[in-house]
Amino acid sequence: MDNTKPKQNLIIYLKVKGLPNGSYKSVFHFKSKDTVYTGTIGKSKAVKNGRQPKGIKW
């Protein structure tokens, strides 16, 4: 992730390393629900962090 301590309602970018042109699935466990993101390995994926409690760790 490009920012491990983002402020609320900002966009962070997730970039997964691995075999070229492969795909991945990541699950973000937010307080209200789980959100699934899919993407291509080696390419950045924009993720909006929304409102999180203070002190959350990414």
Side-chain angles (χ1 to χ4, degrees):
M1 294 177 50
D2 68 336
N3 184 354
T4 59
K5 295 182 182 179
K7 296 192 183 293
Q8 290 186 358
N9 297 311
L10 291 180
I11 293 177
I12 55 175
Y13 293 91
L14 174 66
K15 188 171 184 179
V16 176
K17 295 180 182 179
L19 296 174
N21 300 319
S23 61
Y24 68 88
K25 177 173 117 176
S26 62
V27 180
F28 283 61
H29 301 283
F30 294 108
K31 189 173 183 179
S32 60
K33 64 178 182 174
D34 291 349
T35 304
V36 177
Y37 292 96
T38 58
T40 302
I41 292 174
K43 294 186 179 180
S44 293
K45 179 74 171 185
V47 177
K48 187 169 183 179
N49 72 340
R51 292 182 55 211
Q52 77 273 5
K54 287 186 177 184
I56 191 170
K57 294 181 181 180
W58 288 84

